[in-house]
Amino acid sequence: MFVITGATGQLGSRIVDRLLERVPAETVGVSVRDVTKAAGLAARGVRVRAGDFTDPTTLRHAFEGAEKVLVVSAAIRGSGAVAANRAAIDAAYAAGAKRVLYTSHQAAARDSLFPAQLTHAETEEHLAGLGVPFTALRNGFYASTLSFAIGAALETAVLAAPADGPVSWTAHADLAEAAAIALAEDGALDGVTAPLTAPDMLDLEAVAGILSAVTGRTIRRVVVDDDEWRAATIASGVPAAAADFTLGMYRAARRGEFAVTDPTLEALLGHRPTSARSVLTAIAARA
């Protein structure tokens, strides 16, 4: 049985959909914190069980009978994230899974300026040390983050943010398809993968240019001092910890941590990944 965690989330739900195109529903199970949100999956024949990374005892039942487990990284910030990811990985190992997969990030590294990458790096190390076949999916930076990065630019015509750098923005849909392939096809991806990225990189100056082209309005990119941006963000109601987390993303971007593309995702999918331009066009259309 294939078991997927976080199956009602933005990435996990898409992975389940793509996996169900490849394998029978009765071979798929999901581990979710709120089973009521997965009623639609149960109706499609998927096994739905409650599981919470912060309560590892629930995972024994959720992972029962699993041959492959895909652990979608915990949506937790801070020190608790690594503990939660490790708990899920250990539970998959205890359940007898023959392969454990984990949604990591293209820039996972112990010296990253973006806190999430420290979590991914430590989790990858733990996963590799289990002694069972594993796959760490080094996903490209989620293109949906552009909605946050753009902020109020579509209303104000000013894209104001700290100094940044090129990012290979990658769509959830493409990464979900890659994960489904890695689950369904033995040998498709093994160990720590190459960066699973779209083929193009954009910084926020380029993003502003694309927004200008698709909206017909000039969107100016304005660089804001880090401390000034942090203070304004906190004043708008964002918790300080969240502001610092996001500021780390900008600092890592301008150091070049996300300035990488790789052909692995396109080769795996058999088609060109979704472009950041098309993502930006859709964001502008919804605004």
Side-chain angles (χ1 to χ4, degrees):
M1 172 167 280
F2 305 94
V3 173
I4 301 166
T5 74
T8 56
Q10 191 170 5
L11 180 62
S13 61
R14 288 177 169 84
I15 294 172
V16 176
D17 285 343
R18 298 289 78 79
L19 185 60
L20 289 173
E21 296 171 354
R22 293 171 168 81
V23 301
E26 60 267 23
T27 66
V28 178
V30 298
S31 170
V32 294
R33 284 184 294 178
D34 185 350
V35 296
T36 64
K37 293 183 179 179
L41 292 176
R44 296 167 68 182
V46 172
R47 188 185 81 179
V48 176
R49 291 185 175 178
D52 187 336
F53 291 10
T54 63
D55 183 4
T57 59
T58 65
L59 299 176
R60 286 197 288 268
H61 181 61
F63 293 174
E64 183 183 11
E67 292 188 8
K68 294 182 181 180
V69 175
L70 172 61
V71 175
V72 175
S73 57
I76 300 173
R77 290 176 183 165
S79 59
V82 173
N85 290 334
R86 288 178 60 139
I89 288 168
D90 289 345
Y93 175 74
K98 296 177 181 177
R99 177 173 293 275
V100 182
L101 302 91
Y102 170 72
T103 58
S104 188
H105 194 282
Q106 68 179 78
R110 285 282 195 166
D111 64 346
S112 175
L113 296 178
F114 186 31
Q117 307 320 311
L118 309 181
T119 294
H120 289 308
E122 190 170 345
T123 302
E124 281 186 359
E125 291 169 9
H126 181 70
L127 179 58
L130 280 183
V132 297
F134 74 95
T135 303
L137 297 158
R138 286 212 161 177
N139 289 342
F141 212 111
Y142 296 139
S144 61
T145 309
L146 284 165
S147 293
F148 173 82
I150 291 168
L154 293 172
E155 296 178 8
T156 65
V158 175
L159 201 173
D164 68 315
V167 177
S168 46
W169 304 105
T170 310
H172 274 86
D174 294 327
L175 296 170
E177 186 176 354
I181 292 170
L183 275 165
E185 299 181 15
D186 289 334
L189 291 172
D190 185 53
V192 177
T193 71
L196 301 174
T197 70
D200 303 313
M201 294 185 292
L202 300 175
D203 60 12
L204 291 183
E205 184 72 37
V207 168
I210 291 173
L211 290 176
S212 297
V214 301
T215 64
R217 300 173 60 212
T218 298
I219 308 294
R220 290 190 303 117
R221 165 70 169 114
V222 175
V223 176
V224 182
D225 174 78
D226 284 4
D227 292 338
E228 180 184 342
W229 179 89
R230 180 181 185 276
T233 300
I234 294 172
S236 72
V238 175
D244 290 337
F245 181 88
T246 303
L247 187 56
M249 178 189 75
Y250 288 114
R251 288 171 171 164
R254 65 183 180 238
R255 192 169 77 166
E257 292 187 27
F258 313 129
V260 59
T261 61
D262 190 278
T264 298
L265 180 61
E266 183 170 352
L268 186 69
L269 301 180
H271 61 78
R272 190 172 179 81
T274 306
S275 70
R277 184 186 183 91
S278 67
V279 173
L280 288 167
T281 300
I283 292 171
R286 292 193 299 268

